[in-house]
Amino acid sequence: MRVKQPPRTRLSADARERLIARGAVAFFCEAGFGGQTRELAKRLGITQPLLYRYFPNKEALIDRVYREVYLNRWDPRWEELLDDRSRPARERIVAFYRDYAKAVLSYEWIRIFMFSGLRGMNLNSRYLTLVRDRIYTRVIRELRREYGMPSPAEVPIGEMEFELMWALHASIFYIGIRKWIYGLEIPENVDEVVENLATAFLDGVPAVMAKALKPAAKAPRRAPRPRG
């Protein structure tokens, strides 16, 4: 007896686009960005021409992957938290990193980031510019205020301060590298590890910042050179 197959559900254009985007994320996480769209279409059970109807080229698909993995998961409340001066700066910064780590230490976030870097693509630089502008500058600004240092308006943020921020982010990101790239065990209580890393940063970095900013804060202004 022939079994009657249930009718296929026709997806809307938006639903199909999201399905392809999610499939592309999973595919590139596994195969890297050298993976071919022909293979992706095969895995999704669609034709390559149908895939290109939604994404005209591979670059457009990769840009959609960037939005799916990074921009769509960016939480505006992170910036609100760091700006909320009703709470001590140390408390806000630790709370931010605990929440931020939950997003960045995921399989998709780590592997897409690594494969992008290995291929020399601009996904990494786009994301890291976002982090530098929206997170690093806020943390540095609030630490300066908390410890009575000159504001960024008085003394612009220097590369040394940004390097200190890179070091903290790298130490947190490396937890994900160990798990999702090296396949190593990581501590069971990641929240505690991240809190300890942020606390160690806060215990040492303000003193380094203050020492570096001291000459700039006290340096007298040069008298204008005489003309003629």
Side-chain angles (χ1 to χ4, degrees), residues 5-226:
Q5 296 294 328
R8 289 188 177 183
T9 303
R10 188 176 184 85
L11 297 176
S12 67
D14 287 345
R16 177 71 70 183
E17 191 269 354
R18 289 193 299 270
L19 181 67
I20 294 173
R22 292 302 307 156
V25 170
F27 176 69
F28 290 131
C29 278
E30 178 185 337
F33 287 104
Q36 300 298 309
T37 55
R38 183 183 297 106
E39 178 62 26
L40 170 60
K42 183 179 177 181
R43 291 194 183 194
L44 293 172
I46 62 176
T47 64
Q48 194 175 27
L50 177 60
L51 188 153
Y52 282 129
R53 186 184 303 171
Y54 290 89
F55 300 97
N57 50 51
K58 190 174 180 180
E59 289 69 29
L61 181 61
I62 290 172
D63 185 69
R64 181 64 176 82
V65 166
Y66 171 74
R67 288 191 286 118
E68 182 73 22
V69 176
Y70 299 107
L71 298 187
N72 290 355
R73 301 182 189 186
W74 185 271
D75 192 342
R77 291 176 297 179
W78 293 337
E79 297 164 66
E80 295 171 6
L81 170 62
L82 291 172
D83 288 340
D84 180 12
R85 289 178 175 170
S86 67
R87 301 168 62 181
R90 289 176 65 97
E91 180 183 315
R92 283 179 277 150
I93 292 168
V94 170
F96 160 73
Y97 278 107
R98 288 185 62 173
D99 197 57
Y100 180 72
K102 290 180 174 65
V104 304
L105 299 183
S106 69
Y107 172 79
E108 294 176 344
W109 196 296
I110 296 292
R111 291 185 67 87
I112 290 295
F113 194 88
M114 292 303 296
F115 279 129
S116 172
L118 290 171
R119 294 282 294 189
M121 301 164 67
N122 72 348
L123 270 65
N124 302 53
S125 60
R126 288 164 64 186
Y127 175 70
L128 292 174
T129 297
L130 178 73
V131 172
R132 178 179 169 122
D133 291 345
R134 298 192 183 182
I135 301 303
Y136 292 6
T137 54
R138 279 181 162 83
V139 172
I140 294 167
R141 180 196 68 200
E142 294 307 302
L143 285 178
R144 284 195 187 186
R145 183 176 184 274
E146 185 86 353
Y147 290 90
M149 292 179 254
S151 71
E154 297 170 300
V155 179
I157 296 174
E159 285 305 311
M160 177 277 297
E161 293 170 287
F162 282 122
E163 284 300 318
L164 294 171
M165 294 299 308
W166 283 116
L168 173 58
H169 276 246
S171 65
I172 294 172
F173 190 74
Y174 195 70
I175 299 171
I177 296 293
R178 285 157 52 193
K179 181 174 183 178
W180 300 119
I181 303 298
Y182 300 157
L184 299 176
E185 294 290 329
I186 62 172
E188 184 175 343
N189 192 343
V190 173
D191 270 1
E192 182 179 19
V193 174
V194 171
E195 183 171 343
N196 289 339
L197 289 171
T199 300
F201 170 87
L202 292 167
D203 285 344
V205 163
V208 177
M209 289 171 58
K211 184 178 179 181
L213 288 170
K214 194 173 181 180
K218 291 189 173 183
R221 293 183 178 179
R222 293 185 179 181
R225 295 177 63 182

